């Protein structure tokens, strides 16, 4: 057995084989990340079974490019630290408009590839990201009604959409995005995971649509928008009466393309309520290793997840 | 500002930021010694030090310091 495998097993002693292989690959690309990985897998809520499921998905999505994906995670960690430095100094995110994010991030295909690859691994390496995905699978989806029509706006890699499409209660799933490259990413994920992709459409959320859904996933989109309140109003209108939404946005989470800063979870809850949605459940998942109290005290990132319902 | 004054100022920051740590704060103290001292907290430490001592660090300086003593020396050098 190689030293790298031994090291990976030491970092996460209870981890399954896919998790161990991913840690091993990450350690090869980014040995300085060992302390962070140790901290992440020492957490009591690092459910090894869910982590292993997620690691298996990531491994299949990355495929033969796993080493490059691990390199890209290293790059992402550096990019996030740069944004963190700006945020701590200035008390705001660097970018303030969608046009800036489009010019600097979204229109740069090479940048986007690295960014998305890095974020793929963050689903496992960042405890708050894993917690949100687990809550979606274990808490949100089981309360959908049988035969639910599910929409995801901005499906990213497609991990949430894959879970929703695979859920027995979902009769139809679909994904909307404004970026053809993002939809290609979702197609790749479904192909890698051996499932036919659901209908995926180039749709701007802000344009009127006659469709309505029983379930909407809106994860890590609000912080990318100039008008999050308007977006939530659209989510409300797209829900059928009694329909449910899974809304996830981070507070104090500087990143290269985040433009709207939420300073407290309560600010996001108020925004959701203000859109006419009834907040039913709330998950606050602080950044890896931080207690909620510490995250609030030092303005650390907190993934704020709301399960809401359209009342009328 | 002399070394002792800089270290005293840094100790105040360390005690506030890393509130689970109750060990000694010496020039040899490094991130590996403090559970809460990760890469994001290191950025917070550096920005608090910038404000306290009216200096500005480069990104390379922020990621390249081995321990508190090196940080104190850098602050002293920047203060001239």
């Amino acid at each position: 057995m190689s030293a790298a495998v031994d090291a990976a097993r030491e970092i996460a002693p209870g981890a399954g084989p896919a998790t161990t292989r991913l840690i091993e690959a990450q350690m090869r690309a980014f040995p300085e990340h060992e302390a962070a990985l140790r901290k992440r897998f020492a957490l009591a809520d690092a459910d090894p079974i869910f982590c292993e499921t997620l690691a298996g998905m990531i491994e299949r999505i990355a495929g033969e490019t796993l080493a490059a994906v691990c390199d890209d995670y290293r790059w992402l960690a550096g990019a996030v630290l740069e944004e963190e430095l700006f945020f701590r100094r200035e008390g705001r995110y660097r970018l303030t408009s969608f046009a800036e994010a489009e010019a600097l991030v979204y229109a740069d295909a090479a940048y986007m590839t690295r960014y998305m690859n890095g974020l793929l691994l963050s689903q496992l390496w960042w405890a708050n990201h894993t917690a949100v995905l687990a809550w979606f699978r274990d808490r949100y989806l089981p309360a959908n009604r049988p035969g639910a029509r599910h929409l995801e706006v901005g499906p990213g890699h497609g991990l949430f959409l894959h879970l929703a499409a695979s859920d027995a209660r979902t009769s139809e799933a679909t994904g909307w995005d404004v970026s053809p490259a993002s939809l290609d990413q979702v197609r790749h994920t479904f192909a890698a995971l051996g499932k036919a992709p659901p209908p995926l459409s180039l749709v701007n959320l802000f344009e009127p649509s006659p469709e309505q859904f029983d379930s909407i996933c809106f994860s890590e989109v609000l912080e990318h928008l100039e008008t999050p309140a308007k977006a939530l109003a659209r989510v409300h209108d797209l829900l059928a009466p009694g329909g449910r939404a899974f809304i996830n946005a981070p507070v104090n989470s500087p990143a290269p393309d985040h433009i709207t800063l939420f300073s407290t979870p309560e600010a996001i809850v108020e925004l959701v309520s203000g859109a006419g949605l009834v907040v039913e459940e709330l998950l606050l998942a602080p950044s890896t290793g931080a207690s909620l109290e510490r995250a609030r005290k030092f303005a650390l990132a907190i993934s704020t997840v709301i399960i809401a319902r359209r009342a009328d | 500002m002399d070394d002792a004054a800089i270290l005293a100022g840094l100790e105040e920051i360390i005690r506030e930021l890393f509130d689970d740590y109750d060990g000694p704060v010496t020039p040899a103290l490094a991130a590996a010694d403090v559970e809460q001292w990760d890469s994001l907290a290191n950025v917070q430490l550096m920005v608090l030090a910038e404000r306290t001592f009216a200096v500005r660090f480069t990104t390379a300086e922020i990621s390249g310091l081995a321990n508190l003593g090196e940080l104190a020396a850098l602050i002293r050098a920047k203060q001239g």
Side-chain angles (χ1 to χ4, degrees):
Chain A
M1 192 183 301
S2 76
V5 173
D6 284 343
R9 291 208 168 147
E10 198 193 322
I11 287 168
T19 310
T20 302
R21 285 192 297 272
L22 280 189
I23 294 172
E24 182 193 351
Q26 189 64 85
M27 287 291 292
R28 283 203 181 101
F30 192 7
E32 301 89 341
H33 209 50
E34 179 176 345
L37 291 174
R38 280 184 188 280
K39 182 188 276 193
R40 192 263 173 276
F41 286 101
L43 294 175
D45 59 356
D47 173 0
I49 296 172
F50 184 74
C51 285
E52 181 65 7
T53 301
L54 180 55
M57 294 170 82
I58 292 171
E59 204 174 32
R60 289 162 73 185
I61 294 165
E64 293 181 356
T65 69
L66 180 59
V69 170
C70 290
D71 282 339
D72 290 340
Y73 175 79
R74 181 189 184 119
W75 169 86
L76 172 70
V80 167
L81 276 186
E82 288 280 349
E83 299 306 321
E84 183 77 18
L85 181 58
F86 183 93
F87 175 64
R88 295 293 160 192
R89 280 176 172 157
E90 308 296 332
R92 65 177 178 86
Y93 293 163
R94 187 192 306 269
L95 305 186
T96 55
S97 73
F98 187 84
E100 284 177 297
E102 171 74 21
L104 293 171
V105 179
Y106 306 137
D108 184 336
Y111 191 105
M112 277 302 289
T113 297
R114 299 181 90 181
Y115 194 31
M116 292 299 285
N117 281 345
L119 286 174
L120 179 64
L121 279 168
S122 82
Q123 301 301 317
L124 188 57
W125 299 157
W126 299 357
N128 52 322
H129 280 188
T130 312
V132 172
L133 201 55
W135 212 57
F136 179 72
R137 187 192 70 168
D138 299 334
R139 187 80 184 170
Y140 176 77
L141 288 175
N144 267 349
R145 71 166 182 79
R149 296 185 66 229
H150 176 85
L151 165 69
E152 180 160 354
V153 180
H157 299 95
L159 290 171
F160 287 89
L161 190 55
H162 185 271
L163 290 173
S166 304
D167 189 89
R169 285 155 289 249
T170 306
S171 67
E172 298 170 40
T174 186
W176 291 357
D177 205 296
V178 293
S179 158
S182 292
L183 294 181
D184 284 343
Q185 172 75 55
V186 176
R187 289 186 188 98
H188 169 76
T189 290
F190 274 76
L193 299 179
K195 188 173 180 68
L200 300 168
S201 307
L202 278 172
V203 176
N204 184 335
L205 173 68
F206 295 103
E207 288 169 5
S209 163
E211 290 185 273
Q212 285 196 316
F213 300 86
D214 305 302
S215 167
I216 296 179
C217 179
F218 198 49
S219 181
E220 303 221 346
V221 180
L222 287 174
E223 67 276 19
H224 300 265
L225 303 175
E226 293 176 15
T227 55
K230 269 189 180 175
L232 287 168
R234 287 291 300 133
V235 169
H236 173 276
D237 292 348
L238 285 164
L239 281 171
R244 304 166 72 236
F246 180 92
I247 298 160
N248 169 34
V251 306
N252 300 318
S253 176
D257 59 341
H258 289 184
I259 63 173
T260 290
L261 169 62
F262 302 106
S263 297
T264 64
E266 290 70 28
I268 300 172
V269 171
E270 280 176 27
L271 209 57
V272 171
S273 299
L277 293 162
V278 178
V279 173
E280 295 195 326
E281 292 190 65
L282 177 66
L283 171 72
L284 301 181
S287 61
T288 307
S291 66
L292 187 56
E293 181 189 16
R294 179 172 171 80
R296 285 187 184 276
K297 180 177 177 183
F298 292 107
L300 308 179
I302 304 171
S303 290
T304 301
V305 194
I306 295 161
I307 296 176
R309 187 181 294 275
R310 177 173 171 162
D312 52 353
Chain B
M1 194 177 276
D2 62 21
D3 284 3
I6 292 172
L7 273 171
L10 287 175
E11 176 162 6
E12 260 188 58
I13 297 171
I14 294 278
R15 297 288 181 208
E16 165 72 6
L17 196 55
F18 305 135
D19 50 5
D20 282 351
Y21 177 74
D22 56 6
V25 174
T26 69
L29 188 70
D33 303 320
V34 182
E35 171 72 22
Q36 293 169 314
W37 192 344
D38 59 20
S39 57
L40 293 178
N42 189 57
V43 171
Q44 285 185 294
L45 169 64
M46 294 299 164
V47 172
L48 288 170
E50 285 183 339
R51 288 190 190 134
T52 301
F53 299 103
V55 295
R56 184 88 162 189
F57 304 120
T58 66
T59 306
E61 285 169 344
I62 285 172
S63 57
L65 295 169
N67 56 39
L68 214 57
E70 288 193 10
L71 174 57
L74 181 62
I75 291 168
R76 192 176 61 247
K78 284 183 179 281
Q79 287 182 327

